[in-house]
Amino acid sequence: MAIRALVWGENIHERKNKAVAQIYPRGMHQAIADALNAGPGIHAETATLEQPDHGITPERLAQTDVLLWWGHAAHGEVSDAVTQMVCDAVWSGMGAIFLHSAHFSKPFKRLMGAPCNLTWREAGERERVWLTTRSHPIAAGLPDHFELENEEMYGEPFGVPEPLETVFVSWFQGGEVFRSGLTWRRGAGNVFYFRPGHETYPTYHDATVQTVLRNAVTWAHNPAPRLADPSDAPNVPVTRALEPISERGPRLHPDGETGYH
Amino acid sequence: MAIRALVWGENIHERKNKAVAQIYPRGMHQAIADALNAGPGIHAETATLEQPDHGITPERLAQTDVLLWWGHAAHGEVSDAVTQMVCDAVWSGMGAIFLHSAHFSKPFKRLMGAPCNLTWREAGERERVWLTTRSHPIAAGLPDHFELENEEMYGEPFGVPEPLETVFVSWFQGGEVFRSGLTWRRGAGNVFYFRPGHETYPTYHDATVQTVLRNAVTWAHNPAPRLADPSDAPNVPVTRALEPISERGPRLHPDGETGYH
Amino acid sequence: MAIRALVWGENIHERKNKAVAQIYPRGMHQAIADALNAGPGIHAETATLEQPDHGITPERLAQTDVLLWWGHAAHGEVSDAVTQMVCDAVWSGMGAIFLHSAHFSKPFKRLMGAPCNLTWREAGERERVWLTTRSHPIAAGLPDHFELENEEMYGEPFGVPEPLETVFVSWFQGGEVFRSGLTWRRGAGNVFYFRPGHETYPTYHDATVQTVLRNAVTWAHNPAPRLADPSDAPNVPVTRALEPISERGPRLHPDGETGYH
Amino acid sequence: MAIRALVWGENIHERKNKAVAQIYPRGMHQAIADALNAGPGIHAETATLEQPDHGITPERLAQTDVLLWWGHAAHGEVSDAVTQMVCDAVWSGMGAIFLHSAHFSKPFKRLMGAPCNLTWREAGERERVWLTTRSHPIAAGLPDHFELENEEMYGEPFGVPEPLETVFVSWFQGGEVFRSGLTWRRGAGNVFYFRPGHETYPTYHDATVQTVLRNAVTWAHNPAPRLADPSDAPNVPVTRALEPISERGPRLHPDGETGYH
């Protein structure tokens, strides 16, 4: 069965900025979804900010194996409710891939617990993406490095928690470096951040970038059944203890209480 | 100069529950602060939930090297503003130590980006805390294991991100295990979670536990100057690029713009 | 195509000790291989210490996707040449699973770069293995905990490097704990350590243990093409630099030199 | 009490190559030791390859808090006995800092358990070292980046295990990147790799590099008492089990046996 991907896009620059609209006439989200659908094994749909609930409901997330997120101008317009929904879905096992300026999106910042800041420059300079671990599944089929002739610069320090793995590090023409491919796990969900993708350049039309996106979706997919309540903290009463014990000492919680959350 | 610790306590059970009040007549926060002040090199004060702004202001956090947090019954009463203040302070370099039921506190959950859930049982059973890494600074002066004759059980799976280091793992009489000492870094701040400390048992009067707390404060202290704005994402204009580059291609941001956050 | 597993066994206790021979009449390696072959998608063969070159050649390892290793009495008899072959194969992308007393095997110690020591007791006591991360692929289909009524005890501190992920932690009846499922990556190879499996108990006949082994083989398999020379350190001459540079300053290496290794 | 550092140098290029001898007339090891001794709190001595036992004995390592290692041309001449001595000392709590071409030294490769390979070019090009984590103790007092006008290039992929923390990433003029400051822990010992320091350039005379070296020595120092036998794997007999258990089932080891290693 195909992996079900959902590409979330802000869909603002594409409608308001001519340069962006020319590159992505049907929106960045659609270009990304098309790239995912071009390969076997992935079925990608889209959702956008201006839709009701930003196109995101618990039911839709329950049917999503991997969510991809691109946002930039309107991070603040994403509701807290949708942000929490996304976090809950990740914790229950949905994969999540955050693209480029989504480093400052609400769901990414919430999942990282860190400032997620960086330095930046919009000058269309050359970016060269290097593999730091040659045979990582996200790097399948890639050469040791690939170039994007025009990209926005993002520079270190990148304010994220130490990753599980560093997969890519970028070189920039203007003199900076950036850890541009990083993995984490949050609850049962695999999380990947991938740096390239400024809206004024045709990055998501690049064949190597598209390979990375497809690899990342495959990697992020956790085939385990989704956890029903990923924040559940069940009480295990004495009578059901695995080793025989007797209750001792003072108690705060009467029997059957569910605890404080 | 002494490390400046601030012990934050909910101070509810101590006033409402006789068993707790007998063990901690001046509050758990005060018992912890006393333990920290008993050793050299740490100066500890306290703050509690019922104080204005829960006793926490940006100014006070700026003067705090390490914050310790104990909460249980009233996680939901901690304001979002104070939660964000604590996260900002950690990101700027303040150490943070979360104790026992603070696994479900707002600041801890926000810093972890994960559900932070577990299983639990209040039966006064025996806990044996094992070192998993013998010479870690948080374990300085400790034997390979120590016992707490009466403790609440917390069981795996513990829903936190993979730590930088696992320092302690606990054995419980009723048959469970728990990773009871874990470290992370968030921004410039060192974070430590330490499991023991249920309010109905005299855990914070235990000499070994007090050693762990003092060690943890010393470990969590980052002597680097506090970052002024830990979420700052500065633009680096082309004219100040470290290598000579010329601007190319379309642009979204006019000169001097600060970017989207 | 099936994942090609190779189960390496010392095959000493099975021939010299009656208790072991009764439990594993065809050897522990064969019992493990049978368990792997019982499920779909894995084809397992065996190799043993007493065979020429311990049954291991570079050619055979090149045809092996995942190597499983069980040793105990004769770690010292494994040749340095075979040890290096195994390390090279792992670095080039072969998965490796080390079982129980293989914590002290030459290949595991070489891949870890650490003492790999622990405490132990052979008393047939109860071990309860807990999941620390509920939806990890190695834990697919498992309950939150499972029991082995008779096992050797291994206790912390376990002298291994911090893992990428802690998958299992064990509780022992006699009062110890142990991180019994840990993952690492070495070069292109995925490495898993799994604790249970003392030779005098029927652990590898346990259905849940067999599920873990099959899961672990699937997880450890890296489908990327095997790296031809995983230790290669190529010179990139100035004339092939990706950005135009001129040679400057004094030099140690004449043109075409391969560098020191 | 001052931290006791020992700077180990190969001392070959300095004697055989005029360019190197001019930059480091008393040897690279002495230049590094001088830089360490220039600051407060560190007392540094030196040892070199041509000395008996390469200047390294168990007694001397027992008196060493942090070992720094620079080698290039003669990795193969370092004896296996000294390599094992260094690993044992690290496991028992000695800090270790590996410099530049020491990525291919025997002790580093043994501690990493990985190929430790990279790409390289000797062209005197510009290296710019970026901090990836702003307030790490190894980066104390440093700006967000610093430059070395002439350095050898090292490029990714760098074949080391995922570090605990990535502290520095380098940009190279010719188009490569490299994770140039990485931390690990092996046993009780802190390990740091620092990339800069090609022998034909005056890198170790650079004030910022000297600051990094002093910071790294302070960071790597583990004040815990050195472990007497870091590979010890003690038996815990049934009679000394922490919880009362009875021996059950078949046994392999008679009483008092020390186990297989």
Side-chain angles (χ1 to χ4, degrees):
Chain A
M1 206 179 86
I3 298 172
R4 299 162 300 177
L6 180 63
V7 184
W8 190 90
E10 218 178 59
N11 197 25
I12 290 180
H13 300 307
E14 298 95 319
R15 294 182 298 164
K16 297 199 173 163
N17 185 294
K18 260 190 196 163
V20 181
Q22 279 185 325
I23 303 171
Y24 298 109
R26 301 176 61 216
M28 303 178 79
H29 49 284
Q30 193 58 54
I32 294 167
D34 290 348
L36 297 178
N37 284 321
I42 302 174
H43 173 75
E45 300 186 349
T46 67
T48 52
L49 178 66
E50 81 279 7
Q51 296 173 340
D53 297 316
H54 319 326
I56 285 180
T57 60
E59 294 71 32
R60 191 165 198 196
L61 293 181
Q63 301 298 322
T64 298
D65 295 316
V66 181
L67 176 69
L68 298 95
W69 192 278
W70 194 100
H72 186 199
H75 293 320
E77 293 176 33
V78 173
S79 76
D80 287 344
V82 162
T83 299
Q84 190 57 49
M85 257 181 237
V86 169
C87 290
D88 284 337
V90 169
W91 298 345
S92 78
M94 182 182 74
I97 299 170
F98 293 91
L99 298 170
H100 190 63
S101 40
H103 73 91
F104 260 167
S105 67
K106 280 184 174 184
F108 186 66
K109 289 204 291 184
R110 279 299 279 277
L111 288 167
M112 293 294 105
C116 303
N117 57 330
L118 43 78
T119 69
W120 59 280
R121 177 176 54 236
E122 192 191 16
E125 69 201 270
R126 187 176 313 122
E127 174 177 14
R128 186 176 294 109
V129 182
W130 286 91
L131 274 61
T132 44
T133 170
R134 200 176 257 124
S135 300
H136 194 280
I138 296 178
L142 264 67
D144 276 7
H145 64 88
F146 63 95
E147 290 178 13
L148 298 163
E149 188 53 33
N150 294 280
E151 252 299 346
E152 186 180 21
M153 181 281 288
Y154 278 6
E156 294 280 348
F158 184 21
V160 287
E162 280 293 324
L164 279 186
E165 303 159 303
T166 298
V167 181
F168 301 121
V169 172
S170 285
W171 178 100
F172 288 97
Q173 194 179 358
E176 282 88 355
V177 294
F178 196 75
R179 291 170 294 163
S180 49
L182 300 170
T183 71
W184 297 268
R185 183 179 252 260
R186 289 292 181 267
N190 297 310
V191 179
F192 181 57
Y193 173 80
F194 185 53
R195 199 216 75 82
H198 191 56
E199 60 269 35
T200 57
Y201 315 118
T203 298
Y204 295 122
H205 296 309
D206 181 272
T208 308
V209 167
Q210 293 181 352
T211 297
V212 171
L213 294 177
R214 281 192 296 266
N215 288 344
V217 165
T218 305
W219 171 86
H221 174 223
N222 188 342
R226 207 65 81 73
L227 299 176
D229 180 357
S231 293
D232 189 32
N235 177 247
V236 183
V238 174
T239 49
R240 285 198 285 125
L242 297 158
E243 301 288 329
I245 54 171
S246 308
E247 195 182 315
R248 301 184 299 178
R251 258 176 100 181
L252 205 66
H253 299 287
D255 276 329
E257 202 189 271
T258 57
Y260 301 106
H261 278 239
Chain B
M1 206 178 84
I3 299 171
R4 300 162 300 179
L6 181 62
V7 184
W8 190 89
E10 218 177 58
N11 198 26
I12 289 181
H13 300 306
E14 299 95 321
R15 296 182 297 165
K16 297 199 172 164
N17 184 296
K18 259 189 198 166
V20 180
Q22 279 185 325
I23 303 171
Y24 298 109
R26 301 175 63 215
M28 302 177 77
H29 50 283
Q30 194 58 54
I32 294 168
D34 289 349
L36 297 178
N37 284 321
I42 301 174
H43 173 75
E45 299 185 351
T46 66
T48 51
L49 179 67
E50 80 279 7
Q51 296 172 342
D53 298 317
H54 319 326
I56 285 180
T57 61
E59 294 70 32
R60 192 164 198 197
L61 292 181
Q63 301 298 322
T64 298
D65 295 317
V66 180
L67 177 70
L68 298 96
W69 192 279
W70 194 101
H72 186 198
H75 293 320
E77 293 177 33
V78 173
S79 76
D80 287 344
V82 162
T83 300
Q84 189 58 49
M85 255 181 237
V86 169
C87 290
D88 284 338
V90 169
W91 298 344
S92 78
M94 182 181 75
I97 297 170
F98 293 90
L99 298 170
H100 190 63
S101 40
H103 72 91
F104 259 168
S105 67
K106 280 185 174 181
F108 187 65
K109 290 202 291 184
R110 278 300 278 277
L111 289 167
M112 292 295 105
C116 303
N117 56 331
L118 43 77
T119 69
W120 61 279
R121 175 177 55 237
E122 192 191 16
E125 70 201 270
R126 188 175 313 123
E127 172 177 14
R128 186 176 293 110
V129 182
W130 287 91
L131 275 60
T132 44
T133 169
R134 200 175 256 125
S135 300
H136 194 280
I138 296 178
L142 263 67
D144 277 6
H145 64 89
F146 63 96
E147 290 178 12
L148 299 163
E149 188 53 32
N150 293 281
E151 254 297 349
E152 186 181 22
M153 181 281 288
Y154 278 7
E156 295 280 349
F158 184 20
V160 288
E162 279 294 324
L164 279 185
E165 303 159 303
T166 298
V167 182
F168 300 121
V169 172
S170 285
W171 178 100
F172 287 96
Q173 194 178 358
E176 282 88 356
V177 295
F178 195 75
R179 291 170 293 164
S180 50
L182 300 170
T183 71
W184 299 268
R185 183 178 253 260
R186 288 294 181 267
N190 297 309
V191 178
F192 181 57
Y193 174 79
F194 186 52
R195 199 216 75 82
H198 191 56
E199 60 269 34
T200 56
Y201 315 117
T203 298
Y204 295 121
H205 296 309
D206 181 273
T208 308
V209 167
Q210 294 182 352
T211 297
V212 171
L213 294 177
R214 281 193 296 268
N215 287 344
V217 166
T218 305
W219 170 86
H221 173 222
N222 187 341
R226 205 66 80 74
L227 299 176
D229 180 357
S231 292
D232 190 32
N235 177 248
V236 183
V238 174
T239 49
R240 285 198 286 123
L242 297 159
E243 300 289 329
I245 54 171
S246 308
E247 194 182 315
R248 302 184 298 178
R251 257 176 103 182
L252 203 68
H253 299 286
D255 276 328
E257 201 187 272
T258 56
Y260 301 107
H261 279 238
Chain C
M1 205 179 87
I3 299 172
R4 300 163 299 178
L6 180 62
V7 184
W8 191 90
E10 219 176 58
N11 197 26
I12 289 180
H13 300 306
E14 299 96 320
R15 295 182 296 166
K16 298 198 173 166
N17 185 294
K18 260 190 197 167
V20 181
Q22 280 184 324
I23 303 172
Y24 298 110
R26 300 175 64 216
M28 303 178 77
H29 49 283
Q30 194 57 53
I32 294 168
D34 290 348
L36 297 178
N37 284 321
I42 302 174
H43 174 76
E45 300 185 351
T46 66
T48 52
L49 178 66
E50 82 278 8
Q51 296 172 341
D53 297 317
H54 320 326
I56 285 180
T57 61
E59 294 70 33
R60 191 164 197 196
L61 293 181
Q63 301 297 321
T64 299
D65 295 315
V66 180
L67 177 70
L68 298 97
W69 192 278
W70 194 100
H72 186 199
H75 293 320
E77 293 177 32
V78 173
S79 76
D80 287 344
V82 161
T83 300
Q84 190 58 49
M85 257 181 235
V86 169
C87 290
D88 284 338
V90 169
W91 298 345
S92 78
M94 183 182 73
I97 298 171
F98 293 91
L99 297 170
H100 190 63
S101 40
H103 73 91
F104 259 168
S105 67
K106 280 185 173 182
F108 187 65
K109 290 202 292 184
R110 278 299 279 277
L111 290 166
M112 292 294 104
C116 303
N117 56 331
L118 43 79
T119 69
W120 60 280
R121 177 176 53 237
E122 191 191 17
E125 69 200 271
R126 187 176 313 124
E127 174 177 13
R128 185 176 294 109
V129 183
W130 287 91
L131 274 61
T132 44
T133 169
R134 200 175 256 123
S135 300
H136 194 280
I138 296 178
L142 264 67
D144 276 7
H145 63 90
F146 62 96
E147 290 177 14
L148 298 164
E149 188 54 32
N150 294 280
E151 253 298 348
E152 186 181 21
M153 181 281 289
Y154 278 7
E156 294 280 349
F158 184 21
V160 287
E162 280 294 325
L164 280 185
E165 303 158 304
T166 299
V167 182
F168 301 121
V169 173
S170 285
W171 177 101
F172 287 97
Q173 194 179 359
E176 283 88 356
V177 295
F178 196 75
R179 291 170 291 164
S180 48
L182 300 170
T183 72
W184 298 269
R185 183 179 253 261
R186 289 293 182 267
N190 296 309
V191 178
F192 181 57
Y193 174 79
F194 185 54
R195 200 215 75 82
H198 191 57
E199 59 270 34
T200 57
Y201 315 118
T203 298
Y204 295 123
H205 296 310
D206 180 274
T208 308
V209 167
Q210 293 181 351
T211 298
V212 172
L213 294 177
R214 280 192 297 266
N215 288 343
V217 166
T218 305
W219 170 86
H221 173 223
N222 188 342
R226 206 65 81 72
L227 299 176
D229 179 358
S231 293
D232 189 32
N235 177 249
V236 183
V238 174
T239 49
R240 285 198 286 124
L242 297 159
E243 301 289 328
I245 54 171
S246 308
E247 195 182 316
R248 302 184 298 178
R251 258 176 102 181
L252 204 67
H253 299 286
D255 277 329
E257 202 188 271
T258 57
Y260 302 107
H261 278 237
Chain D
M1 207 178 86
I3 298 172
R4 299 162 300 177
L6 180 62
V7 184
W8 191 89
E10 217 176 59
N11 197 27
I12 289 180
H13 300 306
E14 298 95 320
R15 295 181 297 164
K16 297 199 173 164
N17 185 294
K18 262 191 194 164
V20 181
Q22 280 185 325
I23 303 171
Y24 298 109
R26 300 175 63 218
M28 302 178 78
H29 51 282
Q30 194 57 54
I32 293 167
D34 290 348
L36 297 178
N37 284 321
I42 302 174
H43 173 75
E45 300 185 351
T46 66
T48 51
L49 179 66
E50 81 279 8
Q51 296 172 341
D53 297 317
H54 320 326
I56 285 180
T57 61
E59 294 70 33
R60 192 165 197 195
L61 293 182
Q63 301 298 321
T64 298
D65 294 316
V66 180
L67 177 70
L68 298 96
W69 192 279
W70 194 100
H72 186 197
H75 293 320
E77 294 176 32
V78 174
S79 76
D80 287 343
V82 162
T83 299
Q84 190 57 50
M85 257 182 237
V86 169
C87 290
D88 284 338
V90 169
W91 298 345
S92 79
M94 183 181 75
I97 298 171
F98 293 92
L99 298 170
H100 189 62
S101 40
H103 72 90
F104 259 168
S105 67
K106 280 185 174 183
F108 186 66
K109 289 202 292 183
R110 279 298 280 276
L111 289 167
M112 293 294 105
C116 303
N117 57 330
L118 42 78
T119 71
W120 61 279
R121 176 176 54 236
E122 190 190 18
E125 69 200 89
R126 187 176 313 124
E127 173 177 14
R128 186 175 294 110
V129 182
W130 286 91
L131 275 61
T132 44
T133 169
R134 201 175 256 123
S135 300
H136 193 280
I138 296 177
L142 263 67
D144 276 6
H145 64 89
F146 63 95
E147 289 177 13
L148 299 164
E149 188 53 34
N150 293 281
E151 253 298 349
E152 185 180 22
M153 180 280 288
Y154 278 7
E156 295 280 349
F158 185 20
V160 287
E162 280 294 323
L164 279 185
E165 303 159 304
T166 298
V167 182
F168 300 121
V169 173
S170 285
W171 177 101
F172 287 97
Q173 195 179 358
E176 283 88 356
V177 295
F178 196 75
R179 291 169 293 164
S180 50
L182 300 170
T183 71
W184 298 269
R185 183 179 253 261
R186 287 292 180 270
N190 297 309
V191 178
F192 181 58
Y193 174 79
F194 186 53
R195 198 214 75 82
H198 191 57
E199 59 269 37
T200 57
Y201 316 117
T203 297
Y204 295 122
H205 296 310
D206 181 273
T208 308
V209 167
Q210 293 182 352
T211 298
V212 171
L213 294 177
R214 281 193 295 267
N215 288 344
V217 165
T218 306
W219 170 85
H221 174 222
N222 188 342
R226 206 65 81 73
L227 298 176
D229 180 357
S231 293
D232 189 32
N235 178 247
V236 183
V238 174
T239 50
R240 286 198 284 123
L242 297 158
E243 301 288 329
I245 53 172
S246 307
E247 196 182 314
R248 303 184 297 179
R251 259 176 101 183
L252 204 68
H253 298 287
D255 277 329
E257 202 190 272
T258 56
Y260 301 107
H261 279 238

